[in-house]
Amino acid sequence: LAKTTQPISMDSYEGQEVNITCSHNNIATNDYITWYQQFPSQGPRFIIQGYKTKVTNEVASLFIPADRKSSTLSLPRVSLSDTAVYYCLVGDRGLKSSGDKLTFGTGTRLAVRP
Amino acid sequence: DTAVSQTPKYLVTQMGNDKSIKCEQNLGHDTMYWYKQDSKKFLKIMFSYNNKELIINETVPNRFSPKSPDKAHLNLHINSLELGDSAVYFCASSFPGTGGTGELFFGEGSRLTVL
């Protein structure tokens, strides 16, 4: 399973764009990259998933370079409510595959200030 | 309507006791999981069931025994509780991935404190 490395913490101010980078040097061909958000006292919540290039949804964008050894979660114009822990996961979830062992790393604790 | 619900939300008990945490999902998913989040916020998978069949057991002590009476329920029973079992336990569910990581839906967690 590809191991991920993220910054432990980041600080930002309201209205700024935040980019959180995740390294996954030994990502496998069939692996996808998924990001989750976790607020205190809640379970993680799916944000975005991608395989290559760029994916965008109403919440965030995910940038994946051609070698796929890293990925960057981009949060446009953050607000105080975006203060949370963000987890990067890499894995292949074919039915009953060993990739079902989705492992969350330490995550990045984002603090958004007024 | 809560998609993945866990009970109880908080559990305080003494060492050596036996306790259970229940989980139910109404999303029609085939796969359910138990994760443990310790004080350092590491979130580690413990078990995974697909259609009531155990498919992942991540070197969890035998004191932990999951039970899945049907694919909508996955309960966790813990025998002889130890101080190190104190953590937040999350239940999650998903469809089996047809490619990539199937989105996980988590419950709100059950905070277990062993005294």
Side-chain angles (χ1 to χ4, degrees):
Chain A
L1 295 170
K3 182 180 176 181
T4 61
T5 304
Q6 309 174 227
I8 293 176
S9 64
M10 293 182 69
D11 291 329
S12 182
Y13 290 94
E14 282 191 292
Q16 288 187 332
E17 178 185 75
V18 171
N19 295 309
I20 306 174
T21 297
C22 179
S23 296
H24 28 80
N25 290 320
N26 58 340
I27 188 170
T29 302
N30 294 331
D31 285 346
Y32 279 65
I33 300 153
T34 311
W35 285 80
Y36 284 80
Q37 174 191 57
Q38 185 179 24
F39 297 115
S41 302
Q42 293 186 25
R45 184 176 68 116
F46 174 93
I47 300 176
I48 197 167
Q49 180 181 99
Y51 183 81
K52 62 180 180 180
T53 62
K54 177 183 175 182
V55 179
T56 297
N57 61 22
E58 64 277 7
V59 176
S61 294
L62 178 60
F63 298 91
I64 305 168
D67 65 6
R68 304 201 325 122
K69 293 182 183 296
S70 66
S71 59
T72 299
L73 175 72
S74 181
L75 305 172
R77 296 183 297 282
V78 294
S79 63
L80 296 177
S81 63
D82 291 318
T83 294
V85 178
Y86 292 82
Y87 293 95
C88 165
L89 280 76
V90 173
D92 168 20
R93 284 199 68 247
L95 180 62
K96 297 188 181 181
S97 75
S98 60
D100 248 348
K101 299 179 183 179
L102 295 176
T103 301
F104 288 70
T106 56
T108 297
R109 189 173 299 275
L110 173 66
V112 180
R113 308 181 192 286
Chain B
D1 287 344
T2 304
V4 181
S5 59
Q6 303 177 221
T7 55
K9 192 173 175 64
Y10 299 98
L11 192 52
V12 181
T13 188
Q14 300 286 332
M15 274 175 47
N17 284 350
D18 303 338
K19 291 294 178 185
S20 293
I21 306 172
K22 295 184 177 181
C23 179
E24 176 182 3
Q25 54 95 3
N26 62 5
L27 297 167
H29 289 161
D30 295 317
T31 308
M32 296 186 70
Y33 310 80
W34 278 109
Y35 278 83
K36 178 181 179 181
Q37 188 168 46
D38 60 23
S39 59
K40 296 182 178 179
K41 304 301 182 184
F42 284 103
L43 194 59
K44 296 180 181 178
I45 191 168
M46 301 173 67
F47 300 104
S48 172
Y49 270 74
N50 186 68
N51 266 327
K52 302 191 298 177
E53 178 186 350
L54 178 66
I55 56 174
I56 292 175
N57 182 342
E58 278 294 289
T59 59
V60 177
N62 291 337
R63 300 182 294 105
F64 290 79
S65 53
K67 284 186 172 55
S68 182
D70 55 63
K71 73 174 190 178
H73 295 83
L74 180 61
N75 303 322
L76 183 65
H77 187 75
I78 314 171
N79 290 326
S80 303
L81 279 157
E82 301 176 357
L83 294 177
D85 298 332
S86 295
V88 181
Y89 292 84
F90 286 99
C91 177
S93 71
S94 72
F95 284 114
T98 55
T101 55
E103 179 181 345
L104 294 170
F105 291 79
F106 283 84
E108 292 198 345
S110 297
R111 181 176 293 277
L112 171 65
T113 302
V114 182
L115 303 175

